[in-house]
Amino acid sequence: MTAEIVPVAPAVETPFRRFVAEFCASRLAVAGLVGLSIILLVAIFAPWIAPQDPYDLRQLDVLDGRLPPLSKSMGGKTYWLGTDDQGRDMLSGIMYGLRTSLLVGVGSSFFAMLIGMAAGLTAAYVGGAIETLIMRIVDIQLSFPAILIALILLAVLGQGVDKIMIALVAVQWAYYARTVRGTALVERRKEYIEAARCLALGKSRIVFRHLLPNCLPPLIVVNTVLVAGAIALEATLSFLGLGLPITKPSLGLLIANGFAYMLSGKYWISFFPGVALLATIVCINLVGDQLRDVLNPRLQK
Amino acid sequence: MLVYLIRRLLQSVAVLLVMSVLVFVGVFAIGDPVEILINPQADQAEIARARAALGLDQPLWRQYALFVVNAATGDLGRSFVHNVPAIDLILQRMPATLELAVTATLFGVLLGVPLGLLAGLRPQSRIGKSIMAGSILGFSLPTFWVGLMLIMVFAVQLGWLPSTGRGETRRVLGIDLSILTLDGLRHIVLPALNLALFKLSLVIRLSRAGTREVVLQDYVKFARAKGLAQRRVVWVHVFKNIMIPIVTVLGLELGSTIAFAVVTETIFAWPGMGKLIIDSINLLDRPVVVAYLMVVVFMFILINLAVDLAYSVLDPRVRLSEVKG
Amino acid sequence: MTANQPTLSVESLRTHFFTRAGVLKAVDDVSFTVSAGQVLGLVGESGSGKTVTGFSVIGLVDPPGRIVGGRVLFKGEDLVGAGEERLRRLRGDRVAMIFQDPMMTLNPVLRVDTQMIETILAHDPAVGRSAAMERARDALGRVGIPSPDERLRAYPHQFSGGMRQRVAIAIALLNRPDLIIADEPTTALDVTIQGQILYEVQKLCRETGAALIWITHDLSVIAGLADTVCVMYAGRIVESGTVDDVLDRPQHPYTAGLIGSVPSRNRRGVKLAQIPGMTPSLLSLPPGCAFRARCARADDACLAEPPLVIPSPGRGLRCFHPQADAR
């Protein structure tokens, strides 16, 4: 097109502003973003805003066990969302559980992204036997469902925050690697990389300053999806009794604790942690969905 | 074509071998089964005898070699706990899992494709947006929690449907199936729905995204310019194009459906392989864990192969003769 | 149908796109006629509204686009108010369309025979599959595809670009339409193939007596093919007339500019004339003549809308400062 040749007047519409405007075009996505911010704030400030420290056994009273929502404790406090079998305030439990769940989900996705990005960029830029090797491993791993791989790993490693994070990273790095390699391969053939090469720029400069930034949009989208996936998977594994230890319950474990009481109608022990988990994942997915629509050049009008 | 098939089969065997090493070595690290199997008061000699009986005194590579040789003849070891061949345990539970997975997949496709098409054709309409919102929700809902909620609503509160077990089964060709009896059907509805949820959302999303891209293509406009009825444009021209990724993904998802059945089976006490593996991990019943993983890996490889073949049938551009790489 | 009734008569057609950024007047007050056996060339740069004009005729403008005014008289029948079913019956039967990119117009997952037969059966289910197959084979033969029997069972990706365009043309001609709208059908093809396709289409139209609208940005194609020509700029027809008249004696500065920017052997070594600037965005079109920002002759008069004038019989012009003689 001729557009590149004509000097553009200092635009009021920067790419970032357009991005923001397009993102905000969906009210649902904005709601997701707001919800996500609230959840993050709650998780970060849980120790200051939670009515009770659920890990502090001195604050618990077994006599307050399994109280329905809105009941008063012996000490006159109100349990807004009821209590679990230990007499733990569900609201506080959920706030602390959110912390654990988010920490595990975001943390493991971050490490998975680092590893996957390194592997994907290496594969795309080095090529040859190394690329074949990396991508074969990725292909094989991706042909197995995440939960199966996580099951094997946890069966082997045992329980603990570090263990489950290792399992989640091992499950997710391959997605990042594939995404990064795919985009990097496409970008690599484009002219600006040719141009950078012609300028005899160093390899690392080309990879990190030219290639990587252009691979970011799909990576961001994949990242939101995978963070949500990591949180859900961690919850599922904890629910199956293979995840986090009882001492620092994540949302999944809270739900599992309530399962036993569900059939007797004490729904709140499972229900509310589930709602918190659901809200977190929904918000992340809403944001991710809109990001994908905005960042996908094929859908742009 | 034949060359391609042979290549794929060789590849599959290689993957199977690699996985068997990984699984075997991995699972070997789970605790020492002798400690839980044997009477705590047993003396050293007794423990040694038990280890020898289970073949645990051999070096790891020899255990593995023995395992591969036996596996080739269909012997995946005896369950430490149940003292029966592990493969028998697995095969005995397999029909229940397969029945659940297939029913769930059917739910997903039969509901998901029409909904996705509709949402893709009218992305801006209210119905299109609500279908999409539903799909996002379905994606976000953790399977196990939905299972709990289904039980809470339909089994506990309303009392309409049973929440545990398979119900009455009928034997067909030596396989017990629930879907053939009314009681069995009532039992499978909740677990299948639970397992289908993720798939349904996935299918809606895939068919919506596919439809949105396909309707922008010139060939769809050309089909309309030819004067074809809307019905034919949608159900032939658009449908055939969006089904390619859907079939691929669903085929691959069948495997993960089987794996994810672990969760659903645990919640609904569905007596399939998934429940068996969770129990076996907790009981350190190593041969069963290994056998389960090997069987699942094997099924996966078969499924992937079948999907590749189906893909080439659906998409004329990827005829196998042209796939050389 | 009376003898002198044109096959298609478009009157003050307006098609606007209602986008988030504003109303885009893709087609604004466009009128032209084309009669049986005639070829009308619709010329303009990309984005001048010529493709949308074509789609407007057969009612295939997709939202957010909408025909907001004017009439499309096909053999006397106004298609603008026509129902979807009526339009569907006309499409592919009486009015056929050929698209620009042959790589994209055929459905990749359907065999060629399927795509041809459905075109026949959509309009006349009574034909039957075998008879339809027969007609499809004939059509492929007519557009110069060797061994049509075999090719019918092939998938589009097994054809070259030129062959695919022939298939698309064969599909367009299947039901012997009265009007064919060809939207840059040769732009995506090699020059040698271009010539062949041009020749085929011309021949087939003469044989069947169909009216042909040839949309292009290439004046040289028009020169050899069309009887009359309409030059479009920013959604309007700025000049129209018979091909010889317009090309030899362009009066609108834009037409003159277009002709001047075609390289020619006679003018070798002479600096090629250019039209300065670029096509304006249809979104922010200022009132008045849309071309004035790029026009050497523009003055304050051009701030007003130039009316349609008829300088000589059969000609149309929208300009306050027509050139008496461009060369």
Side-chain angles (χ1 to χ4, degrees), chain C residues 68 70 78 84 93 97 100 114 121 135 138 153-154 156 168 175-176 179 186 204 237 244 259 287 297 322 327:
Chain C
V68 292
D78 189 2
E84 180 53 33
D93 191 41
M97 204 156 173
Q100 174 172 3
T114 316
L121 297 184
R135 264 167 72 182
D138 285 351
R153 283 189 302 274
N175 294 323
R176 298 196 162 251
L179 172 66
T186 57
L204 293 165
I237 292 181
D244 296 340
I259 294 169
R297 296 161 162 259
R327 299 191 205 162

Side-chain angles (χ1 to χ4, degrees), chain B residues 252-288:
Chain B
L252 298 174
E253 278 289 315
L254 185 63
S256 91
T257 313
I258 292 169
F260 260 96
V262 169
V263 181
T264 303
E265 286 175 9
T266 305
I267 298 167
F268 291 92
W270 187 265
M273 302 188 292
K275 201 162 154 24
L276 180 69
I277 173 86
I278 294 290
D279 294 344
S280 300
I281 289 179
N282 288 330
L283 292 172
L284 299 184
D285 196 348
R286 191 187 300 164
V288 178

Side-chain angles (χ1 to χ4, degrees), chain B residues 217-219 221-222 224-230 232 236-238 240-241 244 314-317 319 322, chain C residues 55 60 62 88 91-92 97 99 104-110 114-115 118-119 122-123 155 157 168 171:
Chain B
Q217 301 293 322
D218 273 1
Y219 56 76
K221 200 143 195 178
F222 189 61
R224 288 167 65 199
K226 290 197 298 190
L228 302 185
Q230 179 73 4
R232 185 165 172 93
V236 176
H237 285 256
V238 176
K240 270 214 151 189
N241 277 286
I244 294 170
L314 275 175
D315 192 345
R317 287 165 296 188
R319 285 286 183 235
E322 291 162 32
Chain C
F55 282 132
L60 276 184
D62 287 322
R88 183 193 74 71
R91 277 181 217 138
M97 204 156 173
F99 287 32
M104 308 296 294
T105 42
L106 298 177
N107 195 319
V109 299
L110 297 176
T114 316
Q115 303 195 44
E118 67 180 4
T119 315
H123 299 288
Y155 284 95
H157 70 279
I171 290 176

Side-chain angles (χ1 to χ4, degrees), chain C residues 14-37:
Chain C
R14 290 169 199 273
T15 304
H16 295 178
F17 283 75
F18 298 88
T19 66
R20 232 187 346 210
V23 179
L24 197 149
K25 297 178 180 174
V27 177
D28 201 17
D29 198 7
V30 160
S31 307
F32 58 82
T33 62
V34 55
S35 306

